[in-house]
């Protein structure tokens, strides 16, 4: 599989795909051939036996060269099976949950999973030092057969799926996109509105060389000046927005 990792190829599934396909398939009985293929993409690993910066080397084949995110299946711990809390300690620190768990929805707006976000801290609680390493833990759920109007969800605990990533102050590679063309249109239009808002205050100010009040004729001329200036700015903004980003005739296609 590693031979197929051409430049630009990424494994970047949506949350719906992670839960509805990968996690649910892992939890289902049968389909062993598909599960073997999935283990090459998302391996089973007890991530709490490793520090987060050591995890990328154990990632699946399609994520080994990814520098931003890695995926793992985690089997239920014995403490969880007995009704206790999971142990999230590593040799140098611990994972701490942040915020409240949130639901994962399908494209048809059905609740299909639960997501919990965690941050890795160096040291031991409560004096740990927060790091840039974060994790999203996904668990699948299925509604009960209750006939009540409010559905009751039950977690499927056999496996959870974790996405490990590093928080960065810059945009991740899959978020780096050109500025939308709408922003380039909105900026000149905003300038036009600002200029229009400033012009009436200037027109209503008294003439510094004369104490005489403004006449109706003068006010009419000021209003026309405001309208003409506003129209010119808007037309200029639309003209700039319609200009092509490149010259098609200069592009060398072949």
């Amino acid at each position: 599989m590693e031979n197929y990792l051409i430049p630009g190829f990424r494994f970047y599934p949506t949350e719906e795909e992670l839960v509805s396909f990968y996690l649910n398939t892992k939890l289902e009985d049968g389909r062993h051939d598909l599960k073997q293929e999935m283990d090459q993409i998302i391996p089973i690993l007890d991530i709490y036996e490793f520090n987060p910066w050591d995890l990328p080397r154990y990632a699946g084949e399609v994520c080994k060269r990814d520098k931003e995110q890695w995926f793992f299946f985690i089997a239920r711990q014995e403490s969880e099976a007995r009704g206790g809390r999971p142990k999230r300690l590593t040799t140098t620190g611990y994972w701490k949950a942040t915020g409240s768990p949130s639901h994962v929805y399908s494209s048809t707006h059905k609740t299909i999973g639960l997501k919990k976000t965690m941050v890795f801290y160096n040291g031991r609680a409560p004096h740990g030092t927060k790091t840039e390493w974060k994790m999203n833990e996904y668990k699948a759920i299925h509604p009960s057969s209750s006939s009540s109007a409010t559905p009751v969800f039950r977690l499927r605990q056999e496996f959870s799926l974790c996405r490990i990533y590093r928080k960065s102050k810059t945009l991740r590679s899959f978020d780096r996109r050109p500025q939308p063309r709408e922003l380039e249109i909105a900026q000149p239009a905003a300038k036009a509105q600002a200029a229009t808002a400033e012009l009436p205050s200037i027109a209503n100010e008294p003439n510094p060389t004369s104490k005489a009040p403004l006449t109706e004729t003068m006010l009419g001329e000021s209003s026309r000046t405001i309208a003409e200036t506003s129209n010119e700015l808007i037309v200029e903004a639309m003209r700039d927005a319609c200009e092509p980003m490149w010259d098609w005739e200069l592009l060398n296609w072949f």
Side-chain angles (χ1 to χ4, degrees):
M1 186 177 294
E2 190 172 357
N3 296 331
Y4 296 97
L5 295 181
I6 58 177
F9 177 83
R10 294 183 57 89
F11 177 64
Y12 187 60
T14 63
E15 292 187 334
E16 178 183 3
E17 292 167 341
L18 285 175
V19 176
S20 63
F21 178 76
Y22 290 98
L23 185 52
N24 280 336
T25 302
K26 192 68 177 178
L27 293 168
E28 290 175 359
D29 295 329
R31 308 189 71 176
H32 299 292
D33 54 341
L34 177 58
K35 291 181 180 180
Q36 290 178 355
E37 293 292 333
M38 286 192 348
D39 287 342
Q40 300 181 28
I41 303 173
I42 306 178
I44 301 175
L45 185 71
D46 185 359
I47 64 173
Y48 302 114
E49 292 184 356
F50 305 90
N51 295 312
W53 47 85
D54 295 326
L55 292 175
R57 72 181 69 173
Y58 300 102
E61 293 296 331
V62 295
C63 296
K64 280 188 180 297
R65 291 190 290 180
D66 198 322
K67 298 180 180 180
E68 297 174 345
Q69 58 179 357
W70 307 271
F71 300 88
F72 301 95
F73 286 120
I74 303 178
R76 178 172 54 181
Q77 299 179 5
E78 293 183 5
S79 59
E80 290 183 282
R82 296 193 298 266
R85 300 179 61 181
K87 297 179 181 179
R88 298 194 174 100
L89 293 175
T90 70
T91 56
T92 63
Y94 59 96
W95 290 95
K96 179 181 178 181
T98 176
S100 301
S102 59
H103 288 160
V104 178
Y105 298 96
S106 68
S107 56
T108 57
H109 308 291
K110 292 183 179 179
T111 305
I112 59 175
L114 194 71
K115 179 177 74 171
K116 183 181 295 184
T117 301
M118 285 174 262
V119 180
F120 185 77
Y121 285 76
N122 276 320
R124 289 292 179 258
H127 305 294
T129 304
K130 188 176 181 180
T131 70
E132 62 181 7
W133 290 90
K134 301 187 71 174
M135 170 172 58
N136 292 336
E137 181 188 62
Y138 299 94
K139 289 184 179 293
I141 61 177
H142 53 80
S144 66
S145 58
S146 174
S147 59
S148 60
T150 304
V152 179
F153 299 108
R154 182 163 53 90
L155 288 175
R156 304 185 66 178
Q157 301 280 8
E158 298 92 331
F159 281 96
S160 58
L161 195 158
C162 289
R163 169 180 173 254
I164 309 294
Y165 61 101
R166 285 183 295 185
K167 183 179 179 181
S168 175
K169 295 181 180 179
T170 60
L171 291 176
R172 292 182 288 271
S173 62
F174 46 83
D175 288 332
R176 299 185 188 117
R177 298 288 186 271
Q179 287 288 339
R181 197 62 179 165
E182 291 78 9
L183 293 180
E184 299 179 11
I185 298 174
Q187 290 176 356
K191 293 180 181 179
Q193 293 179 357
T196 304
E198 292 177 358
L199 285 174
S201 62
I202 298 175
N204 292 332
E205 289 181 356
N207 190 340
T209 59
S210 174
K211 299 295 184 179
L214 294 175
T215 62
E216 295 182 359
T217 303
M218 295 173 63
L219 290 174
E221 292 177 354
S222 298
S223 300
R224 285 194 297 272
T225 302
I226 294 169
E228 292 173 358
T229 304
S230 177
N231 291 335
E232 290 176 359
L233 290 172
I234 295 175
V235 170
E236 182 180 355
M238 296 178 65
R239 188 187 302 115
D240 293 340
C242 295
E243 289 184 358
M245 298 179 64
W246 48 71
D247 193 343
W248 292 95
E249 296 180 357
L250 297 179
L251 290 176
N252 185 11
W253 293 91
F254 303 97

